[in-house]
Amino acid sequence: VMSEGAAALVLESLEHATKRGATVLGILSGCGERADNFHRTRSNPDGSAIIRAMRNAIDDAGLQPADIGYVNAHGTGTPENDKMETLGMRAVFGDAPPPISSNKSMIGHTLSAAGAIEAAFSLLTIRDQVLPPTINHNEPDPAITLDVVPNVARQVSGLRHVLSNSFGFGGQNVCLVV
């Protein structure tokens, strides 16, 4: 479902934010990107760009995959995207992927604004220690073998690192670790 929305993040050094007395919502600790020139709207079936973007973000943060406690999915809910994101998650996290959900299920797809909105959701997930749900998840796809947080938010404790996936048209794939 297409939607409208926006988010803005103020990025500054921790030192500067602390000096000015800002409330720090989180730290952007890793960024990974990888272009995929396979198709204007589809990912390469081998998932290489999606996998590399996730790995690059985790590596850039100086973390291991097991350190990621939640993934804010690109999660468009289309068969193509769900298949590719599952493939990527399994390649990066193996048999122990963290919980994953998609805020697009609640707010729709804002296209160009989606990455910033998802980054804001990811920061609030850490702040509140609540994993947002994928709503309307009434008939799980048996091919999606991930812990998709279904229908109701999940309270957690000790969540420190979130991977936020953004896989855009034209093969623009960016993942952030907050």
Side-chain angles (χ1 to χ4, degrees):
V1 174
M2 303 300 291
S3 69
E4 294 183 6
L9 304 169
V10 176
L11 301 178
E12 61 184 315
S13 71
L14 182 58
E15 177 185 7
H16 185 266
T18 303
K19 278 185 183 177
R20 68 179 188 83
T23 300
V24 177
L25 294 178
I27 296 172
L28 174 61
S29 58
C31 178
E33 59 183 318
R34 185 61 77 187
D36 183 348
N37 62 358
F38 175 74
H39 187 270
R40 191 172 12 156
T41 59
R42 296 180 53 223
S43 298
N44 189 318
D46 70 6
S48 58
I50 287 170
I51 293 165
R52 196 71 242 161
M54 286 192 271
R55 286 185 174 152
N56 286 349
I58 294 167
D59 290 347
D60 189 44
L63 300 172
Q64 297 298 315
D67 296 321
I68 303 298
Y70 166 70
V71 175
N72 186 320
H74 179 65
T76 59
T78 62
E80 170 93 14
N81 179 88
D82 288 355
K83 174 185 169 190
M84 295 311 299
E85 199 149 14
T86 299
L87 172 73
M89 290 282 291
R90 285 297 178 188
V92 172
F93 296 102
D95 291 333
I100 186 170
S101 63
S102 173
N103 55 254
K104 286 183 181 82
S105 69
M106 295 177 282
I107 65 169
H109 197 329
T110 58
L111 294 180
S112 297
I117 291 170
E118 290 161 5
F121 263 81
S122 296
L123 290 167
L124 296 175
T125 297
I126 293 171
R127 183 193 72 185
D128 298 341
Q129 297 289 292
V130 175
L131 307 183
T134 296
I135 64 169
N136 300 313
H137 190 66
N138 301 320
E139 294 180 34
D141 182 341
I144 309 299
T145 57
L146 301 172
D147 178 10
V148 178
V149 180
N151 301 312
V152 178
R154 182 184 301 168
Q155 188 74 44
V156 295
S157 63
L159 179 64
R160 297 186 59 223
H161 304 288
V162 170
L163 177 68
S164 183
N165 291 338
S166 297
F167 308 137
F169 289 143
Q172 302 175 52
N173 303 295
V174 177
C175 299
L176 302 178
V177 174
V178 294

